[in-house]
Amino acid sequence: MAVWARQVSRWCCLLNTARAVAVPRRLRSRGCSARACREFVPLAVLPAGKAVLCRLQAYRQLCVGSCSPPDRAKDGSFLSPESNLPSVQQEQAKVETLPDLNAKILDEDWDDIPPSAALDVISEEEAVQIIAEPLVPIQSSTLRDYVDHSETLAKLVHLGVDLSQVEKRQKAGQLLLTLDFEKDVKKILLFLKDVGLEDNQLGSFLTKNPYILGEDLEALETRVAYLKSKKFGKSEIAQMVSRAPYLLLFSVERLDNRLGFFKNELGLSVKKTKDLVIRLPRLLTGKLEPVKENLQVCQIELGFQRNEIQQIVYKTPKILTASKKRLKQTFDYLHNIMGIPHHMLTRFPQVFNSKLLRIRERHMFLAFLGRAQYDPAQPSYISLDQLVSLPDEVFCTEIAKASMQDFENFLKTL
């Protein structure tokens, strides 16, 4: 029996040695480092060694004996050592059925190799194949640095949004970085298309008004419904929204107050008030103080009557938002230098939208030629509309009855 125990012990040592050699060899073939193999092997062979050690200890107790007294039988007699031999034979049978080193079970046990650790040594070929993702900037003064990290920014750029202009608007850049394209942006884009904006208009619109992407969709739909209730057509709403990008940021109450202000202040009908804001929709979004001041200038300083102001504003809405200084200078030259009366200015108010330099150069050229006649009751009458709206070539040949070269030579003398 002692000989058999020595054979079992020698077989176990060979088994552990074979595992210690075979396992690192297989791990190295899979790309593991030598250090990882050395640290891994003792953990792999430890359970088998403990099991064999326990079996050998049990065998020694059976074969050599111990200090404890022998077991007693049920009748009180002592059991002989030979009565334990069957259990030893069963133990021997268990040991002899251990798997062979070359069995496929060993291969299956190590098929799932654990992932490499961060400090494992890798080859140069593996190193050059590693692609590092660019880091997201913690802080930047331009949205361009975040385009590669933000799906929202990337898709807005694809739509034609100019991020260099957006980042100039207060807190607009921070807003875009917090938005999710699928959850927040997409529904607003579909809403704007439903309002009537074309695909090629979305980029320009969002460049001017990126804040609409943070608005509540239900509130936007309510404002459009209000405009429809005021008999604005779909094409008219689309025109107003495209020309005044901030229009839909205003509440229904504010839009209603603005329409009421222009109707009451100018004494216009509902239809004329609607036509006025369609042609200049920024009247609904701009400040009212400049508008009130220009109305006072027209009435008090320029001397127009209320009904004349009404006609001037309805024909040329830009007068309400024009510079007061420019408005007074243009009127002074037209009325006091050229001698144009109020009723003629009321009839052709578009002259206030022209540059004063253009008016002055053409009037002086006509006066030089003796053709500066602005009274419709006199022959060779020249309307204010012809004076300011025609191109230089047409003005020279049809109005001044001179060549373009004559006009250029005259301008050099000024």
Side-chain angles (χ1 to χ4, degrees):
M1 298 301 291
V3 174
W4 185 87
R6 284 195 299 270
Q7 291 177 350
V8 171
S9 177
R10 186 179 305 165
W11 185 86
C12 291
C13 292
L14 291 175
L15 175 61
N16 291 338
T17 303
R19 284 185 175 180
V21 173
V23 172
R25 187 176 302 162
R26 289 182 59 81
L27 292 178
R28 284 197 298 271
S29 66
R30 294 175 181 262
C32 293
S33 64
R35 180 179 179 182
C37 295
R38 289 195 299 270
E39 294 175 354
F40 190 82
V41 169
L43 297 177
V45 302
L46 183 59
K50 284 187 176 181
V52 174
L53 180 61
C54 294
R55 292 169 182 172
L56 290 177
Q57 289 177 352
Y59 178 75
R60 289 193 188 100
Q61 292 177 0
L62 291 173
C63 297
V64 180
S66 63
C67 297
S68 58
D71 296 335
R72 292 178 178 268
K74 291 183 179 181
D75 57 356
S77 61
F78 292 100
L79 294 175
S80 62
E82 287 78 10
S83 62
N84 291 327
L85 288 178
S87 62
V88 174
Q89 293 176 355
Q90 293 176 0
E91 195 70 26
Q92 180 181 1
K94 292 181 181 179
V95 173
E96 291 175 352
T97 59
L98 287 175
D100 185 69
L101 286 175
N102 296 324
K104 293 183 179 180
I105 299 178
L106 281 177
D107 293 336
E108 296 175 358
D109 289 341
W110 302 107
D111 276 345
D112 296 328
I113 301 300
S116 301
L119 298 179
D120 282 352
V121 179
I122 61 175
S123 64
E124 294 183 1
E125 291 77 6
E126 294 173 331
V128 297
Q129 295 177 359
I130 297 177
I131 302 176
E133 295 292 335
L135 297 177
V136 180
I138 299 177
Q139 187 176 6
S140 177
S141 59
T142 176
L143 289 174
R144 181 178 55 189
D145 294 337
Y146 296 94
V147 173
D148 294 336
H149 309 278
S150 171
E151 178 190 10
T152 299
L153 293 182
K155 291 189 175 181
L156 289 178
V157 170
H158 183 70
L159 284 173
V161 178
D162 188 349
L163 296 182
S164 65
Q165 297 299 319
V166 171
E167 63 193 18
K168 295 178 182 179
R169 306 184 185 278
Q170 187 177 11
K171 297 183 179 180
Q174 293 88 328
L175 172 65
L176 296 187
L177 289 174
T178 61
L179 297 178
D180 180 84
F181 186 85
E182 294 295 330
K183 181 181 178 182
D184 305 316
V185 178
K186 189 175 182 179
K187 60 182 181 182
I188 302 298
L189 295 178
L190 294 175
F191 164 78
L192 292 175
K193 287 178 62 66
D194 186 63
V195 168
L197 294 183
E198 301 294 335
D199 290 343
N200 58 2
Q201 294 178 306
L202 292 176
S204 175
F205 178 86
L206 294 176
T207 299
K208 298 174 183 177
N209 179 20
Y211 305 106
I212 197 171
L213 297 177
E215 286 289 304
D216 180 68
L217 180 59
E218 185 177 352
L220 295 174
E221 293 173 342
T222 301
R223 294 159 195 170
V224 172
Y226 167 78
L227 293 176
K228 291 180 179 179
S229 70
K230 294 298 180 180
K231 308 303 180 182
F232 289 95
K234 183 173 182 179
S235 61
E236 296 170 340
I237 295 175
Q239 177 183 341
M240 293 168 64
V241 170
S242 62
R243 296 179 63 184
Y246 288 97
L247 178 65
L248 295 181
L249 296 185
F250 293 96
S251 64
V252 170
E253 293 76 10
R254 184 168 182 177
L255 293 175
D256 190 67
N257 290 337
R258 289 297 178 91
L259 289 173
F261 169 81
F262 290 108
K263 178 179 180 299
N264 299 328
E265 193 71 18
L266 299 174
L268 298 175
S269 64
V270 174
K271 182 179 182 305
K272 286 188 174 182
T273 302
K274 187 179 74 170
D275 293 340
L276 180 70
V277 298
I278 288 175
R279 285 183 291 153
L280 193 65
R282 68 170 181 264
L283 290 175
L284 298 177
T285 61
K287 295 181 180 180
L288 290 180
E289 287 74 13
V291 174
K292 294 178 181 179
E293 291 176 357
N294 282 2
L295 290 175
Q296 291 179 352
V297 168
C298 289
Q299 184 174 1
I300 299 174
E301 300 186 34
L302 306 186
F304 289 100
Q305 300 297 319
R306 179 176 173 83
N307 64 325
E308 292 176 333
I309 296 174
Q310 184 184 87
Q311 295 180 48
I312 291 173
V313 170
Y314 181 71
K315 291 179 180 179
T316 314
K318 288 184 178 181
I319 288 180
L320 293 174
T321 58
S323 167
K324 291 186 298 180
K325 180 179 178 181
R326 176 185 170 185
L327 188 61
K328 291 188 288 185
Q329 288 177 344
T330 303
F331 173 82
D332 181 68
Y333 192 86
L334 290 169
H335 183 67
N336 298 324
I337 304 300
M338 296 175 59
I340 310 297
H342 283 81
H343 71 275
M344 290 295 295
L345 295 175
T346 303
R347 185 178 175 184
F348 299 102
Q350 59 268 28
V351 71
F352 287 102
N353 291 334
S354 300
K355 294 181 179 180
L356 180 57
L357 179 61
R358 182 171 189 159
I359 297 174
R360 186 173 67 86
E361 289 176 346
R362 292 190 175 188
H363 168 70
M364 294 181 68
F365 184 57
L366 291 174
F368 174 76
L369 297 175
R371 303 184 61 85
Q373 178 55 259
Y374 308 110
D375 186 354
Q378 299 296 326
S380 302
Y381 161 70
I382 298 174
S383 69
L384 295 179
D385 181 54
Q386 291 177 324
L387 178 69
V388 299
S389 63
L390 296 176
D392 287 341
E393 294 81 1
V394 178
F395 167 76
C396 291
T397 57
E398 296 186 6
I399 304 301
K401 306 300 181 181
S403 65
M404 186 66 190
Q405 186 64 41
D406 294 335
F407 184 49
E408 292 177 351
N409 292 337
F410 173 78
L411 294 179
K412 292 177 181 179
T413 64
L414 297 179

